[in-house]
Amino acid sequence: MTWSQCTELSEYDNERIQEALGDSLITSSTTKHVDMDIIENGTLKLNLKSSRALTITRDRNKTTYLSGPVAIDIFKSDTLDTEVAADSAIYLPKDAQFELFGNVVVHSMNGRFLYSDYLKWLREDDEVTTPGRVLIITQTDSIAATGFVGNTDLTNYTLTEVTGKTQFN
C-alpha cells in the first residue's frame, strides 16, 4: 500500500484556481417575507414587499426574482406618490429596472389607475412601458390601448393603439 501526501498549493496556484472558479461561479440566496426600503441621499425612494425573493449572482450581475404578491410604494420627496402591485417581478439592481408580471396595477396618488399584465419600469428614468394591453382609469374617463410609455404617476404618457369609444358633449 502506498500513501501519498498532498502538499500545499502555492499562492500563485490558489489565485489561478480562484480565478477559474470565479469565472463560472453562480451564487443564489432566498429571502422570505421581504420588506425593503431603497434610500438614496437620505431620501426614501421606494418600499418593496414580496412573499419571497430569489437573488442569483452570475458574473457579478445580480437578478432578483420576486414572487407575490409584490407591492412597491414609490416616494417623491418622502411622500407616497404611486403604489404598484403585481403577481411577480424581476429586479435588475445594476440597471435599476423592474419587470412586473401578472395583474399589474399602478395607482397614482393623483387618482389615476393603470391595469396591465406586464410592465417594465426604469426607476432612474421614471419611465414605465409595456408593449401589451393597458387600461387607464382617471376620475373622469377610461381608455384602453395596446402599447404604453409614460411616467409612474401617470401624468405623462403615450398610447400606441387606442381602442374604445369616446363621447363628446
Side-chain angles (χ1 to χ4, degrees), residues 1 7 18 25 38 40 48 55 76 80 85 90 104 110 120 130-131 137 140 145 149 154 159 168:
M1 186 182 237
T7 60
Q18 287 303 317
L25 186 63
I38 293 182
E40 293 175 352
L48 179 138
T55 300
K76 291 191 178 162
L80 180 61
I90 297 173
V104 180
N110 62 25
K120 181 185 209 178
T130 185
I137 299 175
T140 57
V149 177
L154 307 176
L159 302 169
F168 296 98

Side-chain angles (χ1 to χ4, degrees), residues 12-155:
Y12 175 82
D13 290 336
N14 278 326
E15 287 175 5
R16 298 297 77 75
I17 291 170
Q18 287 303 317
E19 282 179 15
L21 290 174
D23 287 344
S24 61
L25 186 63
I26 297 174
T27 60
S28 67
S29 65
T30 302
T31 307
K32 292 183 179 182
H33 310 293
V34 176
D35 188 348
M36 175 181 74
D37 289 334
I38 293 182
I39 299 170
E40 293 175 352
N41 300 321
T43 303
L44 177 62
K45 295 296 183 179
L46 70 87
N47 172 263
L48 179 138
K49 292 180 180 162
S50 175
S51 299
R52 183 174 172 261
L54 170 64
T55 300
I56 298 175
T57 304
R58 178 182 299 144
D59 299 325
R60 296 185 178 98
N61 290 318
K62 288 185 179 183
T63 303
T64 300
Y65 299 89
L66 302 160
S67 54
V70 175
I72 303 171
D73 293 335
I74 303 168
F75 293 84
K76 291 191 178 162
S77 303
D78 282 334
T79 302
L80 180 61
D81 184 63
T82 304
E83 299 171 322
V84 181
D87 291 341
S88 63
I90 297 173
Y91 178 52
L92 303 170
K94 180 179 175 184
D95 301 325
Q97 173 185 308
F98 284 89
E99 287 188 72
L100 301 133
F101 302 92
N103 299 307
V104 180
V105 178
V106 177
H107 172 221
S108 174
M109 295 301 103
N110 62 25
R112 297 175 186 204
F113 290 85
L114 178 142
Y115 299 90
S116 185
D117 286 326
Y118 169 80
L119 200 64
K120 181 185 209 178
W121 173 33
L122 301 174
R123 191 175 66 80
E124 291 178 351
D125 296 333
D126 190 35
E127 179 182 272
V128 290
T129 62
T130 185
R133 304 236 344 116
V134 295
L135 173 64
I136 298 172
I137 299 175
T138 69
Q139 295 171 349
T140 57
D141 57 14
S142 63
I143 189 166
T146 300
F148 172 90
V149 177
N151 59 1
T152 55
D153 65 7
L154 307 176
T155 56

